[in-house]
Amino acid sequence: MSRATTAPTAGADQRRFAAAWILFGCAFLVQTAFPFTDGGTPALTVASVMLLTAAVVAHVMSSRGLRAAAVLVVVAGGGGLLAETVGVHTGFPFGSYEYTGTLGLEALGVPVLVPLAWIMMAWPALCAARQLVGARRWATVVVGAWALTAWDVFLDPQMVDQGHWRWAEPEPALPGVEGIPVTNFLGWLLVSFLMMTVLDRLIGPAARGEDRGSTGPAADLVPVAIYLWTYFSSVIAHAVFFGRPPVAVVGAVVMGVVAVPLVISLVREDSRARF
């Protein structure tokens, strides 16, 4: 039997990820309420992070298996918890900050929601990098680290404005991102680089010949969609609803370094698959 007759259709390929898509859809609905609550309530924040984290883990389980999902949880979740624990108690590598107790249950002085957020975006950042640079390992790690760090240009101002954590020395800051020290983003780059290095080595890319349908849907479309939704929704939210237009501009540029080429790559790939 020929390869063409055994290849899954696009619909069948994506049905494997039904749980991930449903969880992402629920998170999408939750996040659309953020602009109407002055940046989000604690309940909405918890729901959003938990739903997106579940979507990401479900996708990894469907595309790479249970072992890979466990690796993601340990490396991104455990690594994020370790970095945040060291950070909140010593000031390294992010700078001196403290949580205010508004995000619920804590472990080692860090809200449990925080390592879940590292899981939530670490996998989309890595998948976005792989989509852009392919099998070039060091390029993947560098782009993935940038992709993950760039998200915090949007996240940190929103969370600080909501009072979930505060910085002891918020200056010097990035132009347009007042209240968040530059050390925070340097720390994110360091932690993200280490995290991407380990994840890229332990969780391989999807085999394109086996995990793509006849019309060319990406096997990693769920995490890539999460990354792009986070980008575009964050730009709009900060520009229109959160009262931080400068953050919208800076974030659009910094995260757009990955997000815009990612969109172009997906469009070109879809065009090749169709014709």
Side-chain angles (χ1 to χ4, degrees):
M1 187 174 292
S2 69
R3 184 183 184 87
T5 57
T6 59
T9 66
D13 187 57
Q14 290 305 307
R15 278 195 292 272
R16 293 189 295 133
F17 308 122
W21 280 116
I22 291 170
L23 289 163
F24 175 34
C26 291
F28 172 89
L29 294 175
V30 168
Q31 289 188 346
T32 57
F34 273 61
F36 306 103
T37 57
D38 294 326
T41 65
L44 287 174
T45 299
V46 170
S48 174
V49 172
M50 292 187 69
L51 285 166
L52 284 178
T53 301
V56 164
V57 172
H59 173 266
V60 178
M61 289 181 63
S62 298
S63 61
R64 271 79 166 181
L66 182 59
R67 177 185 174 278
V71 168
L72 175 66
V73 170
V74 170
V75 174
L81 177 60
L82 175 61
E84 297 282 353
T85 300
V86 173
V88 80
H89 291 293
T90 71
F92 177 83
F94 308 107
S96 182
Y97 66 104
E98 63 178 354
Y99 291 102
T100 60
T102 59
L103 290 175
L105 180 67
E106 295 187 357
L108 303 175
V110 177
V112 172
L113 203 66
V114 171
L116 293 181
W118 281 93
I119 298 170
M120 178 187 86
M121 284 303 290
W123 182 244
L126 179 58
C127 290
R130 284 174 171 170
Q131 174 70 26
L132 288 176
V133 302
R136 296 186 289 276
R137 172 154 284 169
W138 284 108
T140 298
V141 170
V142 171
V143 174
W146 181 274
L148 183 53
T149 301
W151 167 58
D152 194 55
V153 174
F154 291 118
L155 174 69
D156 227 278
Q158 181 186 353
M159 295 295 103
V160 168
D161 289 351
Q162 287 297 302
H164 296 311
W165 59 79
R166 53 178 169 255
W167 293 94
E169 299 178 7
E171 303 295 336
L174 289 177
V177 193
E178 286 76 13
I180 315 299
V182 172
T183 54
N184 172 61
F185 302 111
L186 296 176
W188 267 75
L189 273 174
L190 173 62
V191 174
S192 298
F193 181 82
L194 295 174
M195 194 175 288
M196 292 296 110
T197 299
V198 177
L199 288 175
D200 188 48
R201 288 185 176 275
L202 296 183
I203 306 178
R208 287 181 172 256
E210 298 173 3
D211 285 311
R212 296 169 63 84
S214 57
T215 60
D220 290 337
L221 188 57
V222 174
V224 168
I226 289 173
Y227 192 84
L228 292 176
W229 159 248
T230 300
Y231 172 67
F232 288 109
S233 64
S234 296
V235 172
I236 294 170
H238 282 278
V240 179
F241 300 104
F242 294 169
R244 287 265 203 163
V247 170
V249 174
V250 175
V253 173
V254 174
M255 197 171 177
V257 169
V258 174
V260 173
L262 183 60
V263 171
I264 295 171
S265 172
L266 292 172
V267 170
R268 287 177 175 172
E269 190 170 274
D270 184 65
S271 296
R272 287 195 298 266
R274 290 177 183 276
F275 300 104

